[in-house]
């Protein structure tokens, strides 16, 4: 059974609750959005299997008693099969996320999350990433400046390196990424969703 620490809307810790209860009752909790980048100015997106769109490198709930950085390392390990030095992860920003969704059984899924957005330098290669096929369709290495231009203009395309799997074997190839390939939910703006992390990374690599 999975437990999450819950908070009031101001971020003050209350107690821990079972994950299903957290979303049934709409308690505030922590999530972590993990981003990897390299010194050449590339950012790493995952292709989410359920949406077939580009999203964070990895992401998920912060478990009860877990630090944000520990959750960062765990999510990278679970989704990408890669052991990262998560203590080197750096905070970009914390966003408050609120959404209600009607489930097929008629119940309401209530999401109230403090989304902790962190980046970490990635020293490995795409071929070293052994991603979880149940959730991830592939990993995309994309120039952060090019990505920022596409998201700013809400159009355009650029070259990217994509890691995918064929019969359990990792294959790395070049392909083209377009604005439509990024995951942007109804009511969201692409630049608001990804702009801060892209600008943070570009500032890091320019120093």
């Amino acid at each position: 059974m999975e437990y999450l620490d819950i908070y009031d809307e101001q971020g003050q810790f209350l107690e821990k609750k079972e994950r299903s209860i957290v979303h049934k009752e709409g308690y505030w909790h922590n999530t972590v959005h993990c981003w990897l980048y390299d010194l050449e100015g590339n950012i790493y997106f995952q292709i989410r299997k359920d949406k077939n769109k580009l999203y964070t490198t990895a992401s998920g709930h912060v478990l009860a008693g877990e630090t944000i950085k520990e959750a960062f390392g765990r999510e990278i390990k679970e989704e990408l099969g890669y052991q990262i030095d998560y203590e080197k992860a750096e905070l970009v920003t914390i966003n408050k996320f609120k959404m209600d969704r009607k489930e097929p059984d008629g119940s309401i899924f209530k999401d109230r999350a403090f989304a902790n957005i962190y980046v970490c330098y990635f020293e490995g290669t795409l071929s070293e990433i052994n991603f979880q096929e149940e959730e991830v369709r592939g990993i995309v290495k994309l120039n952060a400046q090019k990505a920022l231009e596409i998201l700013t203009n809400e159009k355009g395309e650029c070259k990217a390196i994509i890691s995918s799997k064929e019969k359990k074997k990792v294959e790395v190839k070049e392909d083209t990424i377009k604005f439509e390939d990024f995951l942007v939910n109804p009511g969201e703006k692409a630049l608001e969703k990804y702009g801060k992390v892209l600008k943070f990374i570009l500032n890091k690599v320019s120093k």
Side-chain angles (χ1 to χ4, degrees), residues 29-33 60-62 68 71 95 97 111 113-117:
H29 58 283
N30 277 315
T31 61
V32 61
H33 291 199
H61 289 86
V62 179
I68 306 297
N95 293 330
F97 179 81
D111 207 359
F114 299 106
N116 297 266
I117 302 172

Side-chain angles (χ1 to χ4, degrees), residues 124-135:
T125 64
L126 275 178
S127 59
E128 293 178 70
I129 296 176
N130 184 27
F131 57 83
Q132 184 185 67
E133 295 178 77
E134 291 77 14
E135 294 187 24

Side-chain angles (χ1 to χ4, degrees), residues 10 38 48 52 84 104 114 121 147 151 153 163 197 201:
Q10 287 70 48
D38 62 33
R48 284 190 57 166
N52 198 28
I84 195 81
F114 299 106
Y121 169 52
L151 295 173
N153 298 323
S163 172
V197 72
I201 288 169

Side-chain angles (χ1 to χ4, degrees), residues 168-202:
K168 303 295 182 181
K169 184 179 179 181
V170 175
E171 293 189 358
V172 179
K173 62 181 180 180
E174 185 177 281
D175 208 337
T176 300
I177 294 298
K178 302 177 181 178
F179 173 72
E180 294 76 17
D181 294 322
F182 294 89
L183 177 60
V184 183
N185 296 311
E188 293 180 332
K189 290 289 186 180
L191 189 59
E192 291 177 3
K193 190 177 183 75
Y194 302 113
K196 282 186 179 179
V197 72
L198 289 166
K199 291 174 182 177
F200 187 93
I201 288 169
L202 287 169

Side-chain angles (χ1 to χ4, degrees), residues 11-80:
Q12 295 297 313
F13 173 74
L14 299 175
E15 56 181 315
K16 69 176 183 179
K17 291 278 188 180
E18 187 182 340
R19 177 173 171 171
S20 61
I21 300 298
V22 170
H23 287 296
K24 180 180 179 180
E25 302 296 334
Y27 291 113
W28 285 93
H29 58 283
N30 277 315
T31 61
V32 61
H33 291 199
C34 317
W35 291 97
L36 299 183
Y37 72 96
D38 62 33
L39 296 184
E40 284 70 52
N42 297 304
I43 185 171
Y44 293 77
F45 288 82
Q46 70 167 249
I47 306 173
R48 284 190 57 166
K49 192 167 187 177
D50 59 345
K51 303 287 188 181
N52 198 28
K53 298 282 187 179
L54 274 64
Y55 192 47
T56 56
T57 313
S59 58
H61 289 86
V62 179
L63 304 180
E66 193 174 40
T67 69
I68 306 297
K69 288 187 177 183
E70 287 171 345
F72 185 107
R74 177 178 53 77
E75 291 293 343
I76 291 291
K77 181 65 175 177
E78 289 178 358
E79 296 187 18
L80 274 64

